[in-house]
């Protein structure tokens, strides 16, 4: 009995000590040290797949690449208009087909060599090489003959419209006018790579070579890759020989791959991160009430929607789709559940995408919804064939799905079943069109309505609904070729009206970016592409 | 014993590994979705190129033969998810982390588990017994994914003793090790207690009692040996699982260990990575089971003959 | 009543066991608590005015109060109701899957341990192989070929949970095989399966019960992972595992969403373990010698 008592008393003493000892006088927290040393601690969600700008596809990768590379132009952090980058100026021909970029002679690679126009041409050739298998090669299809080269129809790259006139002059010839060209080239697929480095570790079209390792890496950005430990940290440090080094205030950035967003939030709270990628929705209210100065909610260029399988009854019935769309109380979803400032979506393209505005037409109207449902021929919800809603198991999808399920039941008397699938299974079901209704989200690649509306072209790779409309196709194609902005937007509006009348996809809400940011980070502006050029940031 | 181990390696371990690799190789292809399916669908041209690059366009059986020929040289190929890395490299980089974490957790679990079992069994059906067992059960009542955040809340965010996550200093190791170890404490404590109660009624214990040995000595020196048998059988697979990492704990504490790859590789349909982790885990597990079989025989003299 | 000697001896053994079990106050308490929880779950529709999927979006998560005994979740659903309905699933899965895993595990382990040699080698290597196979992939593949159903859930869980049981039982049986009473039984000319059933199995009941009672909560939580993969319970239905998993996400903001399901699960677990201990003591053939 004696030993037993001693054992438990010691344990109790330790616990008491733990609880009674007041909060330790903390020395410098990680973040305050970082602020002092000019190092930004960045919560970056997942381990990057690679750091090759022509291979990667994800947002976390893009966060890192932005520090390591510099495109021809860089986005202004406030409104994303193109600022000079590797090119100090550019001319556009009368017919909007030829863009001439004048590169800086003082811009260098991290190994000291000059960034030449031919490096860009090499990079374009690389990403368009069929064998590289780059998933974002289509971002360069606006260049004359680029699509043909990428698809193997054209073997000679000299016939593709990219040419280095001399070391500092890059001429890009387009196949047809592309009004959003300047925002297109800010995408990471347009970043240059250093040809000798690529060729040292493989061919121009070799995938997954060792050139992206810290000891081999060559970039032209304001920072260089110093350390990369898988699933632990990626550290970039300021380059002293970067052409604009005197304006770069950060000394370095630590990117942490924190997959669990609850962990990320706790790290932020414990002063281990300056900025997070997102915030779990359960925590939004707490920050709103207790620390609103840390909470950031930025509009984001993305739409959350449900797609309908047009080939399968009963969703081949346009009126039924319409009734379903009208019976979703979007405002309740965004205000009561998501709480992250999301905007109820009454149209497909997010409002103010590059200045494009479309009046919301899909509203919440239960009376109208019931009226339309009665016109479908289905007397009550019960006489409908079974409908299932497919979603992938993650984040808030199941919450949204349950809420919508309840709304349809309550307002229309329609019972739908929910089917959740693991991510890749869900993708496969969607591609094979084995679903009735499926949840989807789309984030624009570039700031233009085209990035949203070309989704629904007949046979488009991401149009998994089976919907097709020749009028819609011709309107969107016409708009993407037109150089006149007003005319384009008019065509886009017409196309979008057709789409929203047919409703192969039911828009639900427009995304926002909800994240946490320490007030010590200065020069951080919100923008719809969530691009934050680290060059302009400083810590205080 | 040496003969036993050699026999185990050449006639049992290696064939088992081949069977595991074969079954896994073919079954993972049955799972819907491939390594390259993403939210934004890839154009068919790109998909063809990718499949050609990784040899996925060849006949499945050809792929299998190529693959098996390759893993004999411990080359598990490049990862599909991380194109710049090989599977061997990923395992080599992350296994030491999981191993370290697993060893700490294992020590915590074995020491506290056996101690709790001893305390409880020394006076069965007493307050001491119930209290000790109830506490040790905490690790099962509160699952890892709750325990981790709870510990972080108390010790990191409220008391400020340890960092929330990471894997840099020793203070990073404490909370994850406890979280991971807690689950196993209950199993070990209960199996130890049960085993002790079973052995305490055996004849040789009566003999020892009759000789007038103190109860505590009987418990530790005589009974514990026999009582550890079920614990050992449990520990074989458990230890293999522990040192190859836990997905939940590594994700909660953001630890760069191997455990994350087991689940992530399956989700990513990273075929080569799945194969690598499965074969690696199978190897560790079979080795541990062999060790356990040897230990079991050493603990129990009657079983020595099985070592031949 | 039969005159057969073995039979009547058997009933008296059972009666003995029952008497011993009832005398154990703690395990009886465990039984009462467990029965109470099960009754609550089964009588759910009578106990609560809400349905498990009735939402009140505008109210959102509310703390426990007069209207909602245990509060509501973020969709404004009554937590008490959801715990009761979730309990049905968790009990069904926990108990049935454990039973399946015990039956397979004990049979497999006992045969491997008893016969030893080649049989043992092959059977145990099979266990190793099954251990190593990636469970996530296994479940995903299961769902491709079969309709999702509760039966499939039992198969998926049973397929992994019996493995450790088999190893434990095998170790025990191997140890017992060389004991005097077994030699005696062999000497008496008893058949192998008779020895296994009559003499070996009663002696390994201890670790089996201990491990089985620990398996139940593990299975209840595993079920949550399986429903993440799309197998098992589909929203808006729920289970304790899912409630706890979701509760963890909001444990700081809406703590009641974690605390109540966790308390119910813990209560169940403790009851099961006390019952397990009682059973173990009651069924142990050696304890009657005392």
């Amino acid at each position: 009995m004696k030993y037993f008592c001693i054992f438990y008393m010691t344990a109790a003493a330790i616990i008491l000590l733990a609880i009674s000892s007041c909060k330790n006088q903390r020395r410098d927290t990680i973040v305050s040290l970082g602020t002092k040393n000019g190092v930004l601690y960045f919560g970056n969600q997942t381990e990057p797949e690679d750091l090759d700008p022509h291979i990667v596809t994800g947002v976390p990768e893009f966060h890192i690449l932005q520090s390591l590379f510099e495109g021809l132009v860089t986005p202004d952090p406030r409104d994303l208009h193109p600022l000079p980058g590797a090119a100090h100026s550019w001319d556009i021909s009368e017919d909007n087909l030829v863009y001439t970029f004048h590169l800086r002679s003082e811009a260098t690679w991290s190994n000291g060599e000059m960034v030449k126009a031919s490096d860009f041409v090499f990079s374009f050739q690389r990403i368009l090489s069929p064998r590289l298998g780059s998933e974002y090669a289509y971002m360069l299809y606006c260049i004359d003959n680029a699509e043909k080269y990428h698809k193997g129809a054209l073997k000679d790259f000299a016939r593709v419209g990219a040419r280095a006139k001399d070391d500092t002059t890059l001429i890009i010839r387009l196949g047809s006018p592309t009004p959003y060209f300047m925002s297109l080239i800010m995408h990471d697929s347009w970043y240059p790579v250093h040809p000798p480095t690529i060729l040292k570790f493989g061919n121009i079209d070799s995938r997954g070579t060792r050139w992206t390792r810290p000891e081999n890496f060559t970039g032209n950005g304001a920072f260089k890759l110093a350390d990369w430990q898988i699933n632990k940290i990626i550290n970039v440090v300021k380059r002293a020989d970067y052409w604009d080094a005197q304006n770069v205030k950060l000394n370095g950035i630590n990117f942490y791959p924190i997959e669990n967003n609850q962990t990320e939030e706790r790290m932020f709270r414990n002063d281990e991160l300056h900025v997070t990628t997102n915030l779990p929705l359960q925590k939004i209210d707490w920050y709103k009430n207790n620390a609103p100065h840390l909470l950031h909610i930025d509009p984001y260029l993305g739409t959350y929607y449900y797609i309908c399988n047009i080939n399968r009854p009963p969703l081949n019935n346009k009126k039924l789709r319409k009734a379903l769309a009208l019976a979703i109380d979007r405002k309740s979803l965004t205000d009561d559940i998501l709480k992250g400032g999301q905007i109820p979506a009454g149209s497909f393209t997010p409002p103010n995408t590059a200045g494009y505005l479309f009046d919301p037409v899909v509203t919440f109207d239960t009376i109208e919804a019931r009226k339309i449902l009665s016109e479908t021929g289905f007397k009550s919800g019960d006489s409908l064939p079974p409908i299932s809603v497919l979603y992938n198991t993650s984040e808030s999808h199941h919450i949204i799905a349950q809420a919508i399920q309840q709304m349809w039941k309550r307002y229309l008397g329609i019972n739908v079943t929910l089917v959740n699938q693991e991510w890749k299974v869900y993708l496969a079901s969607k591609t094979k069109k084995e679903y009735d209704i499926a949840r989807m989200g789309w984030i624009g690649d570039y700031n233009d309505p085209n990035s949203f509306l070309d989704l629904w072209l007949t046979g488009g790779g991401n149009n998994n609904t089976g919907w097709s409309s020749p009028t819609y196709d011709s309107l969107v194609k016409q708009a993407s070729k037109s150089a006149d902005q007003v005319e384009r937007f008019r065509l886009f509006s017409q196309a979008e009206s057709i789409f929203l009348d047919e409703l192969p996809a039911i828009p639900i809400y427009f995304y926002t970016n909800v994240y946490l940011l320490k007030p010590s980070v200065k020069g951080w502006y919100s923008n719809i592409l969530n691009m934050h050029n680290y060059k302009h940031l400083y810590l205080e | 014993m040496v003969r036993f181990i050699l026999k185990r390696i050449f006639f049992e371990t290696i064939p088992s590994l081949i069977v595991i690799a074969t079954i896994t190789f073919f079954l993972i292809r049955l799972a819907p979705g491939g390594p390259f399916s993403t939210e934004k669908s890839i154009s068919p041209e790109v998909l063809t190129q990718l499949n050609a690059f990784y040899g996925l366009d060849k006949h499945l059986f050809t792929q299998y033969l190529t693959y098996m020929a390759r893993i004999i040289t411990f080359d598990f190929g490049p990862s599909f998810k991380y194109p710049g890395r090989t599977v061997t490299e990923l395992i080599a980089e992350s296994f030491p982390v999981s191993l370290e974490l697993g060893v700490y957790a294992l020590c915590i679990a074995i020491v506290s588990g056996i101690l709790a079992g001893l305390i409880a069994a020394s006076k069965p059906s007493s307050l001491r017994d119930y209290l000790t067992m109830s506490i040790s059960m905490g690790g099962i009542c509160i699952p890892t994914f709750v325990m981790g955040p709870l510990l972080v809340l108390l010790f990191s965010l409220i008391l400020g003793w340890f960092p929330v996550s990471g894997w840099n200093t020793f203070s990073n190791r404490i909370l994850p090790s406890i979280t991971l170890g807690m689950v196993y404490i209950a199993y070990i404590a209960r199996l130890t207690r049960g085993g002790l109660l079973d052995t305490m009624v055996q004849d040789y214990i009566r003999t020892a009692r009759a000789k007038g040995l103190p109860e505590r000595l009987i418990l530790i020196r005589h009974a514990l040996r026999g009582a550890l048998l079920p614990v050992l059988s449990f520990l074989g697979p458990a230890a293999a699982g522990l040192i190859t990492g836990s997905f939940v704990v590594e994700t909660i504490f953001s630890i760069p260990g191997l455990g994350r790859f087991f689940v992530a590789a399956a989700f990513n349909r990273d075929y080569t990575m799945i194969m690598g982790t499965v074969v690696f885990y199978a190897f560790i597990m079979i080795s541990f089971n062999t060790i356990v079989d040897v230990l079991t025989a050493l603990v129990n003299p009657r079983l020595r003959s099985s070592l031949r | 009543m039969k005159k057969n000697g073995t039979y009547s001896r058997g009933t008296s053994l059972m009666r003995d066991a029952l008497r011993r079990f009832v005398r154990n106050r703690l395990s009886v308490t465990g039984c009462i608590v467990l029965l109470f929880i099960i009754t609550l779950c089964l009588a759910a529709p009578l106990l609560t005015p809400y349905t498990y999927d009735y939402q009140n979006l505008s109210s959102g998560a509310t703390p426990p109060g007069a209207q909602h005994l245990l509060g509501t979740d973020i969709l404004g659903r009554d937590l008490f109701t959801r715990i009761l309905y979730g309990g049905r699933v968790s009990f069904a899965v926990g108990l049935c899957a454990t039973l399946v895993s015990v039956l397979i595990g004990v049979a497999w382990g006992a045969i491997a341990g008893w016969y030893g040699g080649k049989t043992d080698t092959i059977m145990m290597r099979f266990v190793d192989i099954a251990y190593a196979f990636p469970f996530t992939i296994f479940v995903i593949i299961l769902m491709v070929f079969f309709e999702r159903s509760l039966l499939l859930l039992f198969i998926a869980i049973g397929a992994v949970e019996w493995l450790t049981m088999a190893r434990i039982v095998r170790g025990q049986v191997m140890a017992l095989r060389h004991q005097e009473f077994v030699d005696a039984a062999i000497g008496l000319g008893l058949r192998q399966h008779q020895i296994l059933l009559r003499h070996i199995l009663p002696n390994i009941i201890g670790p089996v019960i201990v491990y089985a009672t620990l398996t139940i909560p593990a299975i209840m939580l595993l079920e949550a992972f399986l429903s993440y993969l799309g197998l098992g319970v589909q929203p808006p239905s729920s289970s304790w595992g899912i409630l706890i998993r979701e509760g963890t996400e909001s444990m700081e903001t809406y703590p009641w969403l974690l605390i109540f399901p966790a308390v119910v699960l813990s209560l169940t677990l403790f009851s099961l373990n006390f019952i397990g201990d009682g059973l173990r003591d009651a069924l142990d053939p050696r304890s009657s010698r005392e």
Side-chain angles (χ1 to χ4, degrees):
Chain A
M1 199 64 194
K2 208 173 68 193
Y3 292 96
F4 162 70
C5 283
I6 292 171
F7 179 77
Y8 275 110
M9 277 164 73
T10 325
I14 292 173
I15 292 168
L16 274 177
L17 194 76
I19 293 165
S20 62
S21 80
C22 58
K23 205 165 179 161
N24 266 18
Q25 201 60 44
R26 281 187 208 172
R27 291 144 294 150
D28 283 333
T29 61
I30 296 176
V31 157
S32 71
L33 264 176
T35 309
K36 211 188 287 169
N37 299 332
V39 179
L40 180 72
Y41 289 77
F42 194 104
N44 196 30
Q45 251 181 324
T46 55
E47 172 67 21
E49 297 181 359
D50 199 349
L51 289 179
D52 185 331
H54 298 156
I55 300 280
V56 301
T57 52
V59 173
E61 286 84 355
F62 184 56
H63 286 154
I64 301 167
L65 292 180
Q66 255 181 312
S67 68
L68 298 171
F69 292 98
E70 183 170 50
L72 289 164
V73 294
T74 65
D76 181 278
R78 291 179 195 82
D79 61 3
L80 301 174
H81 82 266
L83 294 176
H88 62 76
S89 63
W90 53 92
D91 314 314
I92 306 170
S93 68
E94 283 289 303
D95 57 1
N96 289 305
L97 282 177
V98 182
Y99 286 69
T100 311
F101 292 91
H102 306 288
L103 308 194
R104 294 173 195 282
S105 51
E106 72 272 28
T108 55
W109 292 99
S110 51
N111 63 357
E113 287 174 32
M114 180 191 164
V115 180
K116 290 185 281 212
S118 57
D119 297 345
F120 277 93
V121 177
F122 175 89
S123 306
F124 300 158
Q125 183 176 359
R126 178 168 186 258
I127 189 169
L128 288 169
S129 298
R131 265 178 50 84
L132 186 73
S134 171
E135 292 172 33
Y136 264 122
Y138 68 85
M139 292 293 284
L140 281 82
Y141 278 5
C142 58
I143 303 178
D144 193 25
N145 280 335
E147 184 168 1
K148 277 189 198 153
Y149 183 79
H150 183 236
K151 292 192 167 156
L154 179 72
K155 297 284 176 218
D156 180 14
F157 191 76
R159 289 186 52 204
V160 177
R163 185 166 69 86
K165 192 174 153 210
D166 51 53
D167 277 354
T168 56
T169 314
L170 174 72
I171 300 169
I172 297 177
R173 195 179 68 248
L174 306 185
S176 60
T178 312
Y180 51 94
F181 180 73
M182 290 309 284
S183 61
L184 207 55
I185 63 172
M186 290 188 247
H187 191 265
D188 40 350
S189 49
W190 286 79
Y191 283 149
V193 291
H194 185 236
T197 308
I198 300 292
L199 296 173
K200 190 174 158 197
F201 296 96
N203 298 324
I204 187 170
D205 53 4
S206 304
R207 230 183 132 74
T209 64
R210 300 180 64 89
W211 81 268
T212 50
R213 299 306 167 82
E215 63 273 20
N216 307 332
F217 197 91
T218 315
N220 70 333
F223 299 85
K224 62 172 184 250
L225 184 62
D227 190 16
W228 181 3
Q229 297 179 42
I230 198 146
N231 270 335
K232 192 172 174 186
I233 188 176
I234 284 186
N235 168 240
V236 301
V237 295
K238 181 183 171 177
R239 264 179 65 199
D241 58 341
Y242 173 65
W243 65 269
D244 200 13
Q246 72 272 20
N247 288 323
V248 179
K249 290 161 197 120
L250 287 180
N251 288 322
I253 309 169
N254 285 355
F255 295 97
Y256 296 100
I258 320 287
E259 268 165 36
N260 185 315
N261 57 12
Q262 305 271 353
T263 304
E264 194 186 33
E265 189 272 337
R266 285 193 292 267
M267 284 178 77
F268 181 86
R269 204 158 12 130
N270 203 35
D271 273 344
E272 295 176 30
L273 291 177
H274 277 110
V275 56
T276 68
T277 304
N278 47 39
L279 180 68
L281 67 94
Q282 293 88 350
K283 295 254 165 73
I284 295 179
D285 263 350
W286 189 90
Y287 276 93
K288 269 187 187 161
N289 299 330
N290 300 292
H293 64 293
L294 300 173
L295 177 67
H296 283 241
I297 296 179
D298 298 347
Y300 193 42
L301 193 63
T303 311
Y304 188 96
Y305 54 97
Y306 276 5
I307 52 175
C308 305
N309 192 343
I310 300 297
N311 300 336
R312 247 197 220 183
L315 286 159
N316 53 358
N317 187 322
K318 175 178 145 186
K319 293 216 156 131
L320 176 64
R321 299 199 296 268
K322 193 140 205 164
L324 291 174
L326 290 174
I328 298 174
D329 185 353
R330 296 174 179 74
K331 191 146 177 47
S332 175
L333 290 179
T334 56
D335 295 359
D336 299 333
I337 301 174
L338 297 164
K339 296 179 177 173
Q342 289 85 350
I343 305 158
S347 61
F348 187 70
T349 315
N352 210 11
T353 304
Y356 170 80
L357 281 169
F358 188 88
D359 282 336
V361 292
V362 187
T363 48
F364 171 53
D365 186 341
T366 53
I367 298 164
E368 182 70 12
R370 268 190 295 258
K371 201 182 119 218
I372 295 178
L373 183 67
S374 67
E375 291 166 13
T376 56
F378 301 110
K379 283 235 168 44
S380 73
D382 288 340
S383 61
L384 276 171
I387 301 175
S388 66
V389 175
L390 174 70
Y391 61 96
N392 60 305
T393 328
S394 88
E395 303 161 43
S396 49
H397 303 325
H398 71 284
I399 300 176
I400 300 280
Q402 291 179 66
I404 290 180
Q405 179 189 41
Q406 195 71 12
M407 288 171 187
W408 285 341
K409 188 176 170 185
R410 196 174 292 172
Y411 303 131
L412 299 176
I414 296 178
N415 283 309
V416 295
T417 52
L418 303 183
V419 177
N420 72 317
Q421 287 178 343
E422 179 264 336
W423 176 238
K424 295 253 175 178
V425 182
Y426 151 85
L427 289 176
S429 315
K430 216 173 53 161
T431 331
K432 284 188 264 170
K433 296 200 178 66
E434 287 168 357
Y435 69 92
D436 297 322
I437 297 176
R439 82 98 219 159
M440 263 293 279
W442 187 260
I443 309 291
D445 289 325
Y446 46 89
N447 190 11
D448 192 87
N450 194 55
S451 187
F452 287 85
L453 294 173
D454 75 351
L455 204 64
W456 306 108
L457 294 179
T458 304
N462 291 299
N463 178 2
N464 295 314
T465 60
W467 182 73
S468 143
S469 155
T471 335
Y472 181 90
D473 292 358
S474 78
L475 283 168
V476 171
K477 278 182 184 147
Q478 230 178 306
S480 66
K481 299 238 152 61
S482 164
D484 174 16
Q485 199 72 323
V486 180
E487 171 69 4
R488 290 182 70 226
F489 285 2
R490 198 182 57 79
L491 293 166
F492 279 138
S493 296
Q494 281 181 18
E496 188 151 358
S497 300
I498 296 174
F499 176 80
L500 292 173
D501 180 56
E502 293 270 332
L503 282 172
I506 302 170
I508 296 172
Y509 67 85
F510 298 120
Y511 282 104
T512 50
N513 245 323
V514 184
Y515 58 94
L516 300 169
L517 180 72
K518 293 279 176 198
S520 53
V521 182
K522 308 284 182 196
W524 182 284
Y525 303 97
S526 73
N527 60 57
I528 53 165
L529 283 179
N530 193 25
M531 281 180 159
H532 304 280
N533 198 335
Y534 309 112
K535 208 172 126 170
H536 305 297
L537 296 182
Y538 58 101
L539 300 167
E540 221 168 59
Chain B
M1 195 164 84
V2 176
R3 234 194 78 191
F4 168 78
I5 293 172
L6 284 179
K7 200 181 91 189
R8 219 23 209 277
I9 292 173
F10 287 103
F11 294 108
E12 296 179 24
T13 308
I14 292 175
S16 302
L17 288 179
I18 293 174
V19 173
I20 290 171
T22 310
I23 297 176
T24 312
F25 186 91
F26 289 103
L27 276 183
I28 51 179
R29 308 299 167 116
L30 293 177
F36 310 119
S37 59
T38 52
E39 175 134 42
K40 300 193 172 177
S41 74
I42 314 186
S43 72
E45 294 86 9
V46 172
L47 192 62
T48 318
Q49 289 299 339
L50 287 175
N51 282 334
F53 182 84
Y54 290 106
L56 293 177
D57 53 344
K58 299 204 183 68
H59 190 267
L60 194 57
F61 199 69
T62 323
Q63 288 183 46
Y64 169 71
L65 290 180
T66 328
Y67 186 81
M68 291 308 272
R70 221 166 38 178
I71 58 171
I72 289 174
T73 59
F74 295 102
D75 172 13
F76 291 102
S79 158
F80 289 110
K81 173 77 179 169
Y82 306 103
R85 310 251 167 183
T86 64
V87 171
T88 319
E89 197 181 350
L90 289 172
I91 294 178
E93 208 168 308
S94 51
F95 175 59
V97 176
S98 290
L99 177 66
E100 191 187 341
L101 176 61
V103 168
Y104 294 145
L106 205 57
C107 291
I108 293 175
I110 293 179
V111 172
S112 349
I114 292 183
L115 203 65
L118 275 172
I119 292 176
S122 65
K123 203 173 173 200
S125 308
S126 64
L127 178 69
R128 173 198 310 195
D129 180 12
Y130 297 134
L131 197 62
T132 314
M133 279 300 112
S134 305
I135 293 175
S136 73
M137 236 140 70
I140 293 190
C141 288
I142 309 174
T144 333
F145 57 83
V146 180
M147 181 65 82
L150 275 180
L151 290 178
V152 169
L153 202 60
L154 178 63
F155 292 105
S156 304
L157 293 170
I158 297 178
L159 295 171
W161 289 0
F162 308 112
V164 168
S165 75
W167 193 254
N168 302 306
T169 56
F170 186 74
S171 60
N172 283 128
R173 268 93 168 146
I174 296 168
L175 292 184
S177 308
I178 294 175
T179 310
L180 193 54
M182 287 281 266
V183 189
Y184 296 88
I185 292 180
Y187 283 92
I188 295 178
R190 291 197 58 85
L191 287 171
T192 309
R193 175 183 173 275
L196 279 171
L197 294 185
D198 278 350
T199 27
M200 286 307 270
V201 293
Q202 299 268 359
D203 296 334
Y204 69 94
I205 300 292
R206 284 161 199 248
T207 321
R209 269 207 194 110
K211 279 199 286 184
L213 286 173
E215 192 72 2
R216 197 150 26 96
L217 211 65
I218 298 175
L219 206 62
I220 293 167
R221 203 174 282 167
H222 298 273
L224 194 56
R225 256 185 157 206
L228 284 183
L229 205 60
V231 180
L232 269 178
S233 308
F234 168 75
L235 273 182
L242 266 174
I243 64 162
T244 45
S246 147
F247 174 74
V248 177
V249 172
E250 286 175 12
T251 314
I252 289 175
F253 292 95
S254 192
I255 295 168
L258 185 58
R260 288 159 86 158
F261 286 118
F262 280 95
V263 180
F267 282 151
N268 294 329
R269 305 290 190 278
D270 191 342
Y271 295 149
T272 43
M273 192 67 200
I274 297 175
M275 292 298 292
T277 47
V278 165
V279 171
F280 182 74
Y281 171 63
F283 173 73
I284 300 265
M285 195 199 49
I286 295 175
S287 314
F288 269 72
N289 285 344
T290 309
I291 296 172
V292 164
D293 284 347
V294 172
L295 283 178
T296 313
L298 292 179
V299 168
N300 192 335
R302 286 204 182 97
L303 287 177
R304 294 248 163 99
S305 62
S306 69
L307 285 193
R308 265 179 234 125
Chain C
M1 172 143 312
K2 279 191 190 169
K3 293 243 164 78
N4 186 308
T6 17
Y7 187 75
S8 66
R9 201 174 62 86
T11 44
S12 83
L13 240 176
M14 283 313 287
R15 205 177 297 151
D16 267 3
L18 192 66
R19 195 165 43 82
R20 277 200 296 268
F21 184 78
V22 173
R23 236 192 293 150
N24 187 333
R25 248 180 304 155
L26 219 58
S27 37
V28 172
T29 319
C31 264
I32 294 171
V33 173
L34 196 66
L35 279 176
F36 179 67
I37 298 176
I38 293 178
T39 318
L40 281 187
C41 292
L42 290 178
L46 308 173
L47 297 172
T48 144
Y50 306 97
T51 58
Y52 64 90
D53 62 351
Y54 177 80
Q55 300 174 358
N56 185 351
L57 291 186
S58 53
S59 82
T62 50
Q67 264 214 309
H68 296 280
L69 199 57
L70 303 182
T72 56
D73 68 3
I74 47 177
L75 287 172
R77 293 176 296 198
D78 184 59
L79 184 62
F80 179 61
T81 315
R82 288 182 69 72
I83 289 180
L84 293 187
Y85 280 96
R88 295 179 175 188
V89 177
S90 284
F91 271 114
V93 173
L95 297 178
C96 294
T98 306
L99 196 69
V100 171
S101 80
V102 167
L103 288 178
I104 305 177
V106 170
W108 197 275
I111 293 170
W114 177 257
Y115 291 98
K118 283 233 168 60
T119 320
D120 176 48
T121 305
I122 292 169
M123 289 179 84
M124 291 327 281
R125 291 305 78 79
F126 179 84
V127 170
D128 287 345
I129 290 167
Y131 251 125
F133 190 74
F135 182 60
T136 317
I137 293 281
F138 173 71
V139 175
I140 291 170
I141 293 171
L142 267 189
M143 294 197 334
V144 175
F145 292 102
F146 304 97
E147 282 281 299
R148 56 179 79 203
S149 66
L150 219 54
L151 186 70
L152 198 61
L153 190 67
F154 293 154
I155 295 173
I157 293 176
V160 283
E161 289 297 334
W162 66 271
L163 300 169
T164 307
M165 179 67 85
R167 281 201 65 85
I168 291 177
V169 170
R170 167 186 173 262
Q172 291 287 326
V173 172
M174 276 173 70
L176 287 171
R177 197 172 55 158
H178 298 279
Q179 296 229 347
E180 293 83 357
F181 74 93
V182 177
D183 291 337
I186 295 173
L188 283 171
L190 278 158
R191 293 229 194 90
Q192 297 225 1
H193 70 265
Q194 279 179 317
I195 302 175
L196 207 52
L197 281 176
R198 288 262 169 74
H199 300 276
I200 301 280
L201 284 187
N203 276 295
I204 57 167
I205 206 96
V208 169
I209 288 180
V210 168
Y211 192 75
T213 46
L214 292 174
T215 308
I216 295 174
I219 285 178
M220 286 179 175
L221 295 171
L222 182 66
E223 182 270 323
F225 175 66
L226 293 186
S227 66
Y228 178 87
L229 292 179
L231 182 60
V233 190
Q234 294 302 305
S237 308
S238 200
S239 70
W240 290 350
I242 297 174
L243 288 174
I244 291 177
R245 195 168 274 267
E246 289 177 358
T248 318
E249 286 165 14
S250 43
M251 76 180 192
E252 285 176 71
T253 27
Y254 318 120
W256 59 92
L257 292 179
L258 173 62
I259 293 172
F260 294 119
V263 165
V264 179
L265 183 79
S266 304
L267 265 181
T268 310
L269 171 63
F270 275 102
S271 316
L272 282 168
N273 274 287
F274 288 136
I275 296 170
D277 283 350
L279 275 179
R280 199 200 131 272
D281 294 342
L283 292 175
D284 192 342
R286 279 162 306 205
S287 53
S288 55
R289 287 191 238 155
E290 305 267 316

